Amino acid sequence: MRAVLQNFKTGAMEVAEVPPPALKPGGVLVANAASLISAGTEKAVIELAKMNPLQKARTRPDLVKKVLAKAGQEGLLGTARIVNNLVSAPLPLGYSCAGVVTAVGAGVTDIQPGMQVACAGLGYANHAEVIFVPRNLCTPIPEGVSFAEAAFVTVGAIAMHGVRQAELTLGESVVVVGLGLVGQLTVQICLAAGCRVFGIDPQHEKLELARQLGAQAAAAPGRELTDQVLTFTGGRGTDAVLVTAATKSSQPMVQAAELARDRARVVAVGEVGMDLPRRAYYDKEIDIRLSRSYGPGRYDPAYEEKGQDYPLGYVRWTENRNMAAFLQLVADGRLRTEPLLTHRYAIAKAETAYGHLLGESMDPYIGILLEYDPQRVQPTAVPLTEAKLSARAPDGEIRFGVIGAGQFAQGVLLPRLKAVAGVRFQSFATGSGLTARAVAQKYGAQTCTSDYRELLQDEAVDAVLIATRHDQHASMVSDALRAGKHVFVEKPLVLSRDELETVAAAYQGVGRQLLIGFNRRFSPMSRTLKEALSGAPLVMTYRINAGPIPAGHWHQDAEVGGGRIVGEVCHFIDVMQYLTGASPIEVHALAAQTGQALPADPDCLTVSLSFSDGSVGSIAYVSNGDPSFPKERLEVFGGGMTAVIDNWRKLRVQGAGRKVSKRALFEAEKGHAQELQAFVDAIRTGDPAIAFDDLLATTTATFAIQESLRRGGGVEVS
């Protein structure tokens, strides 16, 4: 299929052939008929992408701060690699469209194939021939509403929520500042609500359009504007001001205070400067409100991604209900979009369409529509080269299929796997299909797809690297093993004991290698430390200053990420298992009473472990410390030896008449390159990089930690 993509690093834009997205539970696939280019939002994205690195840094100092903090922890080289891969990833453009449902995912019962729907959401409602969209981000199109009209649904919902934030009542006067797409729709919604509207915009054409759409008055900013508004409102000042302009200047908000009556409402709908004059707002006791996009539910993963609706009796107008209400106004003839549509282009001409936003055309524009043929759908797998590979790898060459290509995969795993001799990339699979194409081209793969099962059916794929979200690991690993593929999967292997049994059953008898991404045991520092130890029972303490992540992050979701015990603490159990050469037999965990309720496990805890050789270990995993403090510190005592690994950048071992020291200069030595080399070696030799029983023991130990926290006391690792 074709999709409009932009390279955030270079600003280059293209209409590219990419695989259609995969169908997922809780959502639908839609063949687009029309999508709307939002001049304000998309122009800002494009302009940011075209900035040089220094300009981008000045625009987003918050991200610069995060990068510098990561560099302090991980080193400059590793951080630079991650950032470079992140900014090179293609960005899908678009966030408002309409089309025909072609497939429905599990859990969706009120949408059927063949229905016409309008869709919203950045990253979902893209300018693409086929999109996947969660249920709460699409709504049926009422009879009589065209695809072109329905494609306005996102900006319409934004305008609806802005008006609701103003809490207008019948007969009130409203000033709308900024008469672009959102502003013109806001004017009409206010009129439909029985209000009198005064529009403000510096462009004469937009003022005239607002009048044509029903605004009782309109004027450009100027010295006489305040007097004009006072005349319009009978000398009282306006009841509400909705600022729908998009500008870094605070002038619209400053002027809003001048136009407002005593105790009026001022709503910032567009992205405007907020340097407000306190005295002007204080004297009138003006109520300042912000409008967050389409309405309640926006930015809530439980609502948008999982489809958990808010009860109607408590939240009357969610973002989805705002979308539906906007379309109903169109269906009832109370709101018109045709006058706002100035240009139409076929998807193949998208670059020409965006030329209006970039100043390459002098034609006045407001709404720009991209149009599609809903019947044109390409196969899921997209070949990228003409080269054909034989079904059997020649001369020990190992061909990889990669499932999932997010930030960690692109920044850490893939560059290191590429450096392993005798490795070739055959295919990439990602749920959206967009990233798959870009990464596949970068690494010279033959095909890309959005359906990982097609990758598993490819006889040319010898081994699979899985780097998706955690809830997909168990099923993908099991499917890959049954398909006869060697499997490297990022931790964790599974999220439950039932999933562990399923994977174990799939592994038995297939004769394929399985490795979990327990990289730290493969670090040169771990190897050096193990060689220096005498083998006596060890006492180990491992402190992890993990730092906080929001409760709404997918890692903290019990169903998706599994929590930080299963997802991260497994690393540190594996290191201890490696150093001792013994299995964990019992754990005892205690969680700090931080007062923070998380949907998954606590992420501020201590764990005591005993091992089969008599060794003991303690893990302090904390999220309430200073994130800038070094993240990891491992201390090991035994046989007259003492050793310390500081943040995987410095190792010291001393005792028994010897001293060993090692320092990493440019990046932390966490063993990612070595683990991938070990996996490839295991495929060639048949000797596992980590024994399967050890993988099971580490995974089971994380479940024992969870059980210990639930019931208290020690829990055997069975």
Side-chain angles (χ1 to χ4, degrees):
M1 71 168 192
R2 289 174 293 191
V4 181
L5 306 178
Q6 183 174 45
N7 186 305
F8 185 73
K9 183 177 181 180
T10 64
M13 185 186 304
E14 64 174 330
V15 179
E17 285 285 352
V18 300
L23 178 64
K24 304 173 187 176
V28 299
L29 290 180
V30 177
N32 264 339
S35 63
L36 182 72
I37 295 178
S38 174
T41 301
E42 296 192 54
K43 183 178 181 181
V45 172
I46 294 169
E47 289 176 344
L48 178 60
K50 288 184 173 293
M51 292 179 182
N52 61 45
L54 180 58
Q55 291 171 323
K56 289 174 181 174
R58 288 173 175 169
T59 303
R60 293 297 307 272
D62 55 324
L63 296 182
V64 173
K65 185 177 180 179
K66 290 181 179 180
V67 169
L68 293 176
K70 188 171 185 63
Q73 294 280 12
E74 306 287 347
L76 290 173
L77 185 60
T79 302
R81 186 185 296 114
I82 290 174
V83 171
N84 183 63
N85 280 282
L86 187 61
V87 300
S88 298
L91 296 176
L93 295 176
Y95 72 135
S96 190
C97 63
V100 179
V101 175
T102 61
V104 176
V108 178
T109 58
D110 59 339
I111 300 287
Q112 302 298 326
M115 288 181 66
Q116 297 181 359
V117 294
C119 309
L122 192 65
Y124 290 115
N126 305 325
H127 300 309
E129 290 181 312
V130 181
I131 63 168
F132 169 81
V133 61
R135 171 61 189 90
N136 281 345
L137 289 177
C138 71
T139 188
I141 300 175
E143 186 175 352
V145 176
S146 68
F147 286 125
E149 292 171 318
F152 280 79
V153 68
T154 301
V155 288
I158 291 171
M160 291 288 289
H161 184 56
V163 172
R164 296 195 195 285
Q165 287 293 87
E167 294 185 349
L168 302 176
T169 59
L170 189 67
E172 286 192 309
S173 60
V174 184
V175 169
V176 179
V177 182
L179 298 176
L181 273 178
V182 175
Q184 298 287 354
L185 293 174
T186 299
V187 167
Q188 296 184 71
I189 294 169
C190 291
L191 292 168
C195 297
R196 301 180 69 246
V197 181
F198 190 112
I200 299 175
D201 196 279
Q203 295 185 25
H204 172 77
E205 296 85 357
K206 292 180 179 179
L207 297 174
E208 184 58 33
L209 178 58
R211 293 189 188 98
Q212 292 175 10
L213 292 172
Q216 286 84 1
R223 295 180 179 179
E224 300 179 356
L225 181 61
T226 301
D227 291 338
Q228 290 173 301
V229 171
L230 286 174
T231 300
F232 179 75
T233 60
R236 294 183 298 271
T238 186
D239 296 298
V241 181
L242 288 103
V243 181
T244 56
T247 174
K248 295 179 181 179
S249 171
S250 299
Q251 183 57 33
M253 295 295 291
V254 173
Q255 191 168 59
E258 300 174 5
L259 307 179
R261 66 164 170 82
D262 189 62
R263 291 177 175 81
R265 291 94 63 198
V266 173
V267 183
V269 181
E271 187 172 352
V272 294
M274 295 290 289
D275 187 7
L276 307 181
R278 183 182 184 279
R279 174 56 62 181
Y281 276 84
Y282 174 83
D283 285 348
K284 293 182 179 180
E285 201 174 47
I286 293 173
D287 188 353
I288 306 170
R289 305 178 182 182
L290 274 73
S291 179
R292 186 170 64 182
S293 201
Y294 332 148
R298 188 68 180 118
Y299 309 117
D300 179 358
Y303 179 90
E304 293 189 331
E305 297 177 14
K306 292 188 174 183
Q308 298 175 6
D309 200 3
Y310 301 152
L312 184 73
Y314 293 91
V315 184
R316 177 62 183 92
W317 294 109
T318 61
E319 60 179 319
N320 187 268
R321 292 171 194 142
N322 277 333
M323 293 164 61
F326 166 77
L327 293 179
Q328 194 59 54
L329 284 177
V330 176
D332 293 342
R334 306 186 70 184
L335 194 152
R336 298 166 57 203
T337 63
E338 314 88 56
L340 307 181
L341 197 55
T342 56
H343 296 81
R344 292 173 181 254
Y345 292 93
I347 178 65
K349 299 292 186 181
E351 293 182 56
T352 302
Y354 276 95
H356 293 279
L357 276 65
L358 300 175
E360 297 170 4
S361 170
M362 300 307 294
D363 286 347
Y365 67 89
I366 298 181
I368 303 173
L369 197 73
L370 298 180
E371 297 178 310
Y372 309 77
D373 178 1
Q375 304 301 319
R376 186 189 183 279
V377 179
Q378 294 294 326
T380 304
V382 176
L384 297 175
T385 72
E386 296 299 324
K388 301 295 182 181
L389 298 181
S390 61
R392 179 171 296 178
D395 302 325
E397 182 180 67
I398 299 171
R399 294 168 298 191
F400 271 80
V402 178
I403 306 175
Q407 177 180 334
F408 182 75
Q410 291 192 55
V412 177
L413 297 179
L414 298 182
R416 290 170 170 85
L417 182 57
K418 180 182 179 182
V420 177
V423 164
R424 181 202 292 261
F425 291 99
Q426 167 67 15
S427 185
F428 281 81
T430 65
S432 70
L434 304 178
T435 307
R437 172 186 176 270
V439 182
Q441 288 183 326
K442 179 177 180 178
Y443 287 97
Q446 304 297 299
T447 61
C448 61
T449 178
S450 59
D451 189 343
Y452 79 92
R453 291 166 296 187
E454 291 192 359
L455 182 151
L456 298 183
Q457 293 168 5
D458 188 346
E459 294 183 358
V461 172
D462 304 305
V464 173
L465 184 151
I466 299 172
T468 61
R469 289 190 173 187
H470 302 166
D471 60 320
Q472 299 175 305
H473 288 184
S475 59
M476 289 181 173
V477 168
S478 299
D479 289 347
L481 290 171
R482 294 190 187 102
K485 312 300 183 186
H486 303 284
V487 179
F488 175 95
V489 59
E490 252 311 309
K491 50 78 187 168
L493 176 63
V494 297
L495 297 185
S496 69
R497 292 182 184 272
D498 289 343
E499 288 184 345
L500 187 60
E501 291 182 7
T502 300
V503 171
Y507 175 80
Q508 299 299 328
V510 298
R512 292 295 181 264
Q513 296 297 323
L514 171 63
L515 180 62
I516 306 174
F518 294 147
N519 53 283
R520 285 162 178 78
R521 71 155 59 203
F522 296 100
S523 168
M525 292 186 180
S526 296
R527 296 295 175 93
T528 300
L529 174 55
K530 185 174 177 66
E531 291 170 0
L533 296 171
S534 63
L538 304 176
V539 175
M540 300 164 286
T541 64
Y542 205 142
R543 186 268 300 148
I544 304 96
N545 178 40
I549 58 175
H553 192 281
W554 68 268
H555 275 207
Q556 303 279 30
D557 188 317
E559 297 178 358
V560 179
R564 301 180 86 176
I565 293 173
V566 170
E568 294 184 24
V569 174
C570 55
H571 265 314
F572 317 117
I573 298 172
D574 177 74
V575 170
M576 292 182 174
Q577 190 174 198
Y578 167 70
L579 293 176
T580 60
S583 300
I585 58 175
E586 186 177 16
V587 303
H588 190 165
L590 293 171
Q593 301 301 313
T594 62
Q596 181 185 22
L598 298 175
D601 297 314
D603 60 2
C604 200
L605 68 155
T606 62
V607 182
S608 298
L609 304 98
S610 59
F611 292 83
S612 57
D613 71 335
S615 296
V616 294
S618 65
I619 296 173
Y621 186 92
V622 298
S623 63
N624 59 353
D626 180 356
S628 66
F629 193 78
K631 182 180 178 182
E632 297 181 33
R633 180 180 175 90
L634 171 63
E635 297 181 353
V636 182
F637 308 86
M641 305 284 289
T642 299
V644 177
I645 294 179
D646 274 324
N647 215 24
W648 299 99
R649 303 190 72 174
K650 184 167 61 175
L651 165 68
R652 291 173 294 153
V653 183
Q654 67 182 56
R658 59 180 299 193
K659 288 186 178 181
V660 178
S661 64
K662 185 178 179 62
R663 183 183 295 271
L665 296 178
F666 300 110
E667 62 179 330
E669 289 189 352
K670 290 188 175 181
H672 292 107
Q674 292 79 9
E675 72 171 343
L676 292 166
Q677 180 67 64
F679 178 59
V680 171
D681 292 343
I683 294 173
R684 292 188 174 124
T685 64
D687 296 327
I690 302 177
F692 185 65
D693 286 347
D694 290 346
L695 298 177
L696 294 181
T698 296
T699 302
T700 306
T702 61
F703 300 148
I705 293 171
Q706 292 175 320
E707 187 176 350
S708 176
L709 289 174
R710 286 193 299 267
R711 74 182 195 189
V715 174
E716 291 185 0
V717 180
S718 59

